[in-house]
Structure formats: C-alpha cells, structure tokens
Amino acid sequence: MAQMTMIQAITDAMRTELKNDEDVLVFGEDVGLNGGVFRATEGLQEEFGEERVFDTPLAESGISGLAIGLGLTGFRPVMEIQFFGFVFETMDGVAGQMARMRYRSGGNYHSPITVRSPFGGGVKTPELHADNLEGLMAQSPGLKVVIPSTPYDAKGLLISSIRDNDPVVFLEHMKLYRSFREEVPEEEYTIELGKADIKREGKDVTIVTYGAMVHTSLRAADELAEDGIEAEVIDLRTVSPVDMETIIESVKKTNRAIVVQEAQRQAGIAANVAADISEEAILHLEAPVLRVTAPDTVYPFSAAEDVWLPGTKDVIEKAKAVIDF
Amino acid sequence: MATKTLEQIENQFETFQILNEKGEVVNEEALPDLSDEELVELMERMVYTRIWDQRAISLNRQGRLGFYAPVAGQEASMLGSQYALDKEDWILPGYRDVPQIVWHGLPLYQAFLYSRGHFHGGQIPEDVNVLMPQIIIGAQIVQTAGVALGLKRKGKENVAITYTGDGGASQGDFYEGMNFAGAYNAPAIFVVQNNQFAISVPVEQQSAAKTIAQKAVAAGIRGLRVDGMDVLAVYAATKEARENALNGNGPTLLENDCYRYGPHTMAGDDPTRYRTSELDDEWEKKDPIVRFRKYLEDKGLWSEDKENEVVDKAKEDVKAAIKKADETPKQKVTDLIDIMHEKLPANLQKQLEEYREKESE
Ligand SMILES: Cc1ncc(C[n+]2csc(CCOP(=O)(O)OP(=O)(O)O)c2C)c(N)n1
Ligand SMILES: [Mg+2]
C-alpha cells in the first residue's frame, strides 16, 4: 500500500481506468501537457498519449457536448470542469442533456460520463470557483453526485463513477486535495455509489455530513467526546442518491440527528436529508433534526470565508442543542 | 469552391502595425493624431503599470494581496485601447484587465481590495463606467452587446468595449456577443488579447481558424489583427473601431497579438511546463515599452530621468493604495448578507441577526 493524498488517489483512479479500458478518455482545459491546474492528471498524457488524455478548447459547453458525443460512439469520457463554479456555462450539457439521454431515448442511448471538478471553500479562490453546487446537481434527475472526503474513498468512488454507465458528477473538495495522506491500495478496488460510510461510531447523536465537513464534524465529535457525548459521524460519500438506510439505522440508535453541509441553507442536501429522516423516523426522534449550514448569500468574497464557512463550534452547538432539547 | 472562400478570408487578416520592434514607424499614414503630451502620457501609463504589476506580484508573494493575474507584456494592448476611449465609454473587463479599469477611474486601492476578496473592491464609483473584473470567461462579452445597445437607445455618444483572451474566443459567449452586437448594430468593441496561451493551452489548439480576427466575418462585423505590442497600432485601431461604432458602422473585433511574460496567475502556475524560454525571449524582443521608449527618445520626448520619476511615482502610489486597502474596515458576513437583495427576505433577516451575534463575540 502507498501513502497518498486525495489528489494522488484521484490520479491513480484515472490511471487505473485508462489502463483497464481503452475507451476511457480524459479531457478538459489544461489537463494534457500541464497535468491539470491541480495536477490531477499529472503524467497521464505522457503515459497514455494525446488521443486519450487531451486539452480541449476553452468552452465548458463544448467539453460536455464532446463528452456526450463521444459517449454515444462507444467511449467512456472522464471530463473535467476546471472549477465547479463554471458548470453554469454548461448546465444544459450536464443537467439538460447527459442527465436525460437514457430517458429521452427510452433507454436506448446513455451517457457513461464522469464529470470531475474541484470545488469547496477555505482556499481563498476568486469568485465562482469554490461554490457548493451539489444541491443543484442533486436536483437534476439522471445525475449521481459523489463527493469523497478521504483519499481511500476518492479512488474507489472514482473508479466506480467511471465504470457507471450513467453520468456521475464527481466533486473534489479543494481543501482536501493535499490536506492529509492515508494508506491507499495500489491495486484497483471500487466503492459502491450510493453507500454512506460511518466514519465514527457513537450512540448519542448522529451527524450526517459529506466532503470537507466530514473532518469538521470529526473534530467536533472529538470535542463532544470530552463532554461525554458520543457522536456518530456518517459520511454520505454520494449525495445523490442518499443512503437513507444507513442514516435511519443510526437514528434509530441515537434518536437524535443533525445534518452538516458547507453549502448555503436553502434547498440543499441537508434539507433533503432532514426531511427524509422526519418522514421515515419521526417516532424515533427525541428532537427536531437541525442543520449546520452556511448562510444564504452568494459564496463569499474570500476575505470573509473563515466566518462564513460552518466550523467545529457550529457543529458542537447544534449537536448539544438536539441533545439538550 | 469552399476551400477557395476560406483561403480568401484567412489571407486578408494581416497584422496591423505602426511601430516595429526597433521603434521605427513602418506605417506613416496610419500614425494617430496624438500630441506630444499625449504620447508621453501613454508611455507614462505603460511604465507605471509595469511597476505596479511588479509590485503586485511581490505583494502577492508576501501574502499581502490575493488573486492576481500578471499583465507585463500586455501593456500596449491594455492601455493603448483604453486611451482611445472617452471617459463615458463603458469597459467590461476580464480578470486580467484591471489596468484598463483603473486608468478609466477605479481607485487603485479598490483594485487591491478586489484582489483580496473584499466586496468594496467591486463597489465601482458612480462616475466610473466599468464593470467588476469577470471571472467567468466570456460572460462579459455577451453583456457588452447589451451595454452597447443600451447606450445607443439612450442616445449616448458612447461605446462599450470588452476584453477577453485567445482562450475566451473559444467560448460560445464570444460568438453570441459579436453576433448580437452586429444584429443590433450596437456600438461595441470586442478586444481579444491573444497572448498566445490560455493557461497552458497554446492558441493553435483553440481553433482551426488561422486568426482570431477572422471570426468577425461569421458575425458580419469588422475584424482586425493588431500588433498588440505596438501601442500606437492598438490606439489607432481602437480609435477607428470607436468611430465606426458611433457612426453607425457596427461593432469591431480586434485581435491584439501579445504575450504575458509572467505566470497565468499567482496561484501556482508554472509557465515552464508549457512554454520554452526561446519563445519567451522572442516575445520580449517585441516589448511594447522598449519600442515606444525608443520612438519617444528619438523624438526627444523621453529620458531616463523622466522614466525614473514615473517609476518612483508608481511605487509611491502602490504603497499608498495598499495602506488605504489595509485601513478599509474588515469585511463581515453581515455586510455580505446586506448586499444580497434590495429588501432582505425573511430567511436572510434571521441570518443577519445570527451573524451579528456571531461577529460580536
Ligand atoms: C468559464 C471559465 N472557464 C474556465 C476558467 C478557468 N480559466 C481561467 S483563465 C483561463 C485561461 C484563459 O485564457 P485566455 O482566454 O487566453 O486569457 P488569458 O488568461 O491568457 O489572459 C482558464 C481556463 C474560467 N475562469 N472561466
Ligand atoms: Mg491567453
């Protein structure tokens, strides 16, 4: 096994699938010679050639159109949107077209596309780079939305995403790219899409979360433990569809839940999870399901990021609120 | 048939130049009508901007500035075109086009605040007709058609000018902007600063078209390829585009061929991964400041002392602007909640109170 950062695990997953399946193509802005602005595709063009790993002209709608067309002709595209805020340039390509290809053709055509893209706060990017738009994606039927929080998960989930015959939006939190390393098997393995993972077991309160907030929540859980509160931290890993089974199982044990997301409060993943818990487990709940989120502004100009982003303190506060309810 | 048509079009797009690399006039009849004072002022602005760029790069390295896209090598393209504008004309810039909006009136300290990610950086003073630098490549181009049409419909004798790069010319928005402006005969100028690379991707990989200027043909508007290292050519071409726009002759696309000497931005780009030092050297020989200095010195309009004065002034101004940026009150989340809507909806009203409490802790 090797120690890898998340970005290395992501590169490794692409390398694995480029090797396994000659129809896999990796492309986007600056992904070829330059190896991507975060070096996610470092060395891949050299290893697999310019026909399989290549730069595109600068146009996100062009990139997804190309992916859809290549998908129709037997390829398995792994396209990159350089930063996920740029997805607005191709909302039609992603949510209007690839998401509906199977449906529109009555099941005859499909879009075996992985849309990889960095996103996420805390690294002081300019506007429209960090935005948490997973809720928007999750609201587009036909798309799966995956957000890994660890190097190990990233590799297994990305391989599964690439192998999936339907479009998967695979969002990579920038703050996690190089924040830590962990053991990642060099051989191939998959992690089933749509399955959450319990990152910490506990009996007093369930914290449902994903992405960078997994780590914020784990830190909060450590602090809560000092006060004798054992929090269970569930990492969704796939935010659409959500693994409600694992969540409900946990809530039956803890009778209390909070949902933590980096995104704004309104109409997001957390709202959906909270609603589903209420619908499916109301009789097991000792308190309302509370949310920890960012406020409903546009993603902040970077100088205000630190206060805007939910922090450990916010998680602890809400966890205690459902316990003291 | 079709082959012949393409060749005919492509071969028409020769580069418009007035001053060659040695600072010699090669196109006497195109020399713009600029007074000695104006020529000197143009040079001052280029020298000043290069110093400011150097200072910005080093401030960024010290962690005292945020997002920054270097501009050295593009001074003629940026400042020559802005100099051809009227104060009331509108500029719709991309992220690199900060010099144009500062010379159009945005205070330098606000440009620094923008770089730091402070909302006051985007609060454009009322008498300055510029938009905030656009991050989304191409978004400003379509908006330019709208501003231009608006100016025309309001009876203003003004144009809207927008800037993008060679990469930006691949966006659908680029074609849409030109096409709309053409369809409405709106007084717009589209400038593509072709600095040869879009981050790492060379312009040759963006399109099968030999030039970017020829893309004007498809939209039915004027297009011109300009030596973007020649400030007089850029000025003259923009001036002409402006006059045509105001005389009802439609919009123009200008392709200014230039080079960015530095990295794409200060956020970890390494140009040695995709450019050779031979190419860097080749372009530095075309430097806009070197050739214009030579031209002005030959006319007796420029000296080393004069240049040193400008350098000192630029350094002082940058220092003062950073100081002013430092003194600006820190940005709060409540400020951001406040600027979301004209009238705060209930959810944000509640959050405003929550964050007020948080921020007072
Ligand atoms: C819609 C969109 N896609 C991608 C990017 C990321 N990006 C920023 S600059 C850049 C290259 C732009 O190249 P060019 O248009 O030639 O302008 P230059 O930076 O060279 O001035 C890219 C891909 C972006 N900001 N917006
Ligand atoms: Mg460029």
Side-chain angles (χ1 to χ4, degrees):
Chain A
M1 282 224 259
Q3 287 281 325
M4 289 188 203
T5 59
M6 190 160 106
I7 192 113
Q8 287 168 331
I10 286 166
T11 313
D12 197 49
M14 282 189 276
R15 181 180 293 113
T16 304
E17 288 311 278
L18 279 160
K19 261 190 212 150
N20 274 338
D21 179 351
E22 62 183 21
D23 287 328
V24 169
L25 303 175
V26 172
F27 54 88
E29 294 157 9
D30 304 285
V31 306
L33 178 67
N34 202 35
V37 291
F38 288 101
R39 310 287 175 250
T41 51
E42 171 100 59
L44 296 182
Q45 184 177 69
E46 208 181 340
E47 189 173 343
F48 298 97
E50 288 179 25
E51 297 228 321
R52 298 195 59 208
V53 179
F54 53 93
D55 291 331
T56 63
L58 202 168
E60 288 70 21
S61 51
I63 295 171
S64 61
L66 199 70
I68 292 168
L70 287 164
L72 288 171
T73 48
F75 288 97
R76 192 168 284 282
V78 181
M79 58 168 266
E80 178 178 298
I81 295 183
Q82 199 165 76
F83 290 90
F84 203 55
F86 312 157
V87 75
F88 290 118
E89 290 287 299
T90 185
M91 273 302 280
D92 182 56
V94 176
Q97 302 298 325
M98 64 179 77
R100 299 169 193 221
M101 184 59 76
R102 186 180 291 283
Y103 173 81
R104 288 179 55 232
S105 65
N108 283 5
Y109 294 132
H110 63 286
S111 285
I113 299 167
T114 305
V115 179
R116 278 189 47 245
S117 191
F119 83 110
V123 289
K124 302 239 185 289
T125 50
E127 293 170 83
L128 280 151
H129 282 61
D131 297 53
N132 290 260
L133 302 173
E134 64 277 9
L136 209 57
M137 294 297 118
Q139 217 186 18
S140 306
L143 297 178
K144 294 189 188 77
V145 186
V146 175
I147 302 182
S149 72
T150 67
Y152 178 88
D153 286 354
K155 179 171 172 182
L157 288 166
L158 183 52
I159 292 178
S160 294
S161 301
I162 295 173
R163 292 184 186 176
D164 201 286
N165 282 334
D166 289 311
V168 178
V169 176
F170 188 91
L171 299 176
E172 305 163 2
H173 200 292
M174 285 183 264
K175 182 122 201 199
L176 300 181
Y177 267 156
R178 295 184 168 83
S179 61
F180 69 102
R181 287 168 196 275
E182 69 177 3
E183 295 276 308
V184 175
E186 270 153 287
E187 58 273 21
E188 63 175 78
Y189 60 93
T190 57
I191 293 174
E192 193 183 341
L193 304 186
K195 283 271 174 282
D197 184 42
I198 298 175
K199 287 281 191 292
R200 177 190 175 115
E201 289 193 18
K203 57 175 179 29
D204 298 325
V205 56
T206 301
I207 303 178
V208 183
T209 186
Y210 58 92
M213 285 294 132
V214 169
H215 303 281
T216 305
S217 299
L218 286 170
R219 277 194 299 276
D222 283 343
E223 286 188 39
L224 285 165
E226 287 168 21
D227 291 338
I229 299 167
E230 290 304 327
E232 178 143 300
V233 178
I234 298 181
D235 176 2
L236 288 177
R237 300 197 294 198
T238 301
V239 301
S240 180
V242 168
D243 178 4
M244 282 312 297
E245 210 180 300
T246 301
I247 296 172
I248 298 298
E249 203 58 31
S250 171
V251 169
K252 281 182 180 164
K253 176 172 69 176
T254 62
N255 309 113
R256 291 175 168 84
I258 64 171
V259 194
V260 183
Q261 72 179 15
E262 187 176 300
Q264 295 87 338
R265 183 176 172 88
Q266 191 163 300
I269 303 296
N272 177 52
V273 170
D276 274 351
I277 296 174
S278 309
E279 285 187 19
E280 293 179 35
I282 188 85
L283 295 178
H284 295 278
L285 289 173
E286 297 288 344
V289 181
L290 298 185
R291 281 176 285 166
V292 177
T293 72
D296 291 314
T297 71
V298 169
Y299 190 86
F301 297 107
S302 57
E305 235 178 11
D306 298 341
V307 181
W308 191 89
L309 289 167
T312 327
K313 225 177 118 203
D314 304 303
V315 178
I316 292 171
E317 203 178 283
K318 289 281 157 76
K320 287 191 170 165
V322 293
I323 285 172
D324 299 338
F325 184 77
Chain B
M1 282 286 289
T3 313
K4 205 167 150 209
T5 325
L6 178 63
E7 278 172 4
Q8 272 174 1
I9 289 171
E10 282 191 334
N11 294 335
Q12 283 171 30
F13 287 87
E14 283 167 15
T15 304
F16 171 60
Q17 188 186 56
I18 294 176
L19 280 187
N20 69 11
E21 294 178 29
K22 295 187 212 125
E24 299 157 349
V25 175
V26 293
N27 192 347
E28 194 83 41
E29 71 265 36
L31 262 180
D33 186 20
L34 287 167
S35 67
D36 287 352
E37 291 73 37
E38 287 170 323
L39 290 171
V40 167
E41 189 175 26
L42 250 182
M43 179 64 176
E44 285 171 353
R45 290 184 178 196
M46 289 204 290
V47 171
Y48 184 111
T49 304
R50 182 156 301 176
I51 296 300
W52 150 23
D53 184 63
Q54 288 166 2
R55 294 297 305 134
I57 288 171
S58 90
L59 284 163
N60 173 287
R61 293 205 172 113
Q62 298 160 29
R64 297 183 62 200
L65 210 59
F67 169 72
Y68 186 71
V71 301
Q74 300 191 207
E75 294 91 346
S77 166
M78 291 176 162
L79 305 177
S81 53
Q82 190 279 329
Y83 203 69
L85 303 179
D86 185 86
K87 168 79 181 150
E88 302 290 313
D89 291 343
W90 272 80
I91 301 180
L92 289 87
Y95 47 85
R96 201 181 301 284
D97 306 307
V98 177
Q100 297 96 304
I101 60 175
V102 166
W103 287 111
H104 213 58
L106 181 75
L108 187 56
Y109 87 98
Q110 283 189 273
F112 289 155
L113 284 174
Y114 165 78
S115 161
R116 287 180 176 180
H118 189 299
F119 76 99
H120 184 48
Q123 290 181 317
I124 310 293
E126 207 161 326
D127 61 340
V128 180
N129 290 346
V130 306
L131 228 56
M132 301 67 71
Q134 179 58 255
I135 290 293
I136 294 301
I137 294 174
Q140 75 278 22
I141 310 174
V142 256
Q143 294 165 10
T144 301
V147 173
L149 181 59
L151 291 170
K152 180 173 146 182
R153 293 270 165 92
K154 291 279 185 189
K156 300 264 161 61
E157 284 294 303
N158 290 104
V159 303
I161 187 168
T162 189
Y163 296 86
T164 190
D166 39 296
S170 293
Q171 283 282 25
D173 283 356
F174 172 69
Y175 299 91
E176 292 172 26
M178 287 194 298
N179 191 56
F180 268 57
Y184 289 110
N185 194 9
I189 304 172
F190 302 94
V191 180
V192 174
Q193 301 194 71
N194 177 359
N195 62 10
Q196 317 302 319
F197 288 86
I199 308 187
S200 70
V201 181
V203 61
E204 296 76 24
Q205 285 184 33
Q206 291 289 342
S207 174
K210 256 198 214 158
T211 68
I212 292 170
Q214 77 195 61
K215 298 192 177 205
V217 175
I221 69 171
R222 290 179 167 73
L224 182 68
R225 187 176 194 186
V226 183
D227 178 351
M229 307 296 262
D230 171 3
V231 72
L232 292 182
V234 172
Y235 173 85
T238 316
K239 194 87 188 159
E240 187 192 59
R242 187 175 186 279
E243 276 156 19
N244 271 322
L246 292 177
N247 292 336
N249 296 329
T252 301
L253 166 64
L254 299 173
E255 172 190 354
N256 295 347
D257 289 339
C258 55
Y259 202 70
R260 94 173 124 71
Y261 296 158
H264 170 67
T265 66
M266 296 307 294
D269 178 54
D270 174 9
T272 63
R273 291 173 73 97
Y274 54 82
R275 295 195 312 212
T276 62
S277 59
E278 288 75 38
L279 189 65
D280 291 348
D281 293 346
E282 193 185 302
W283 277 93
E284 281 187 34
K285 281 197 203 108
K286 304 181 190 188
D287 188 76
I289 294 180
V290 170
R291 79 171 79 168
F292 200 48
R293 182 189 290 126
K294 182 80 181 33
Y295 173 72
L296 293 184
E297 279 172 355
D298 289 352
K299 280 171 145 313
L301 293 174
W302 197 256
S303 66
E304 209 180 315
D305 285 351
K306 176 79 197 148
E307 183 144 342
N308 287 337
E309 250 173 60
V310 179
V311 169
D312 291 344
K313 171 91 172 74
K315 286 182 181 163
E316 269 168 44
D317 286 1
V318 168
K319 212 167 161 186
I322 281 291
K323 183 155 178 277
K324 193 156 179 201
D326 288 343
E327 288 163 3
T328 306
K330 261 185 89 175
Q331 169 176 265
K332 301 198 296 285
V333 172
T334 43
D335 295 329
L336 303 182
I337 293 177
D338 243 354
I339 56 179
M340 279 302 299
H341 297 269
E342 184 178 15
K343 193 171 174 295
L344 270 196
N347 61 328
L348 277 172
Q349 189 59 50
K350 189 162 167 246
Q351 290 169 16
L352 186 69
E353 281 147 30
E354 277 170 31
Y355 278 84
R356 257 196 205 127
E357 203 169 301
K358 256 191 174 182
E359 285 167 352
S360 66
E361 277 167 17

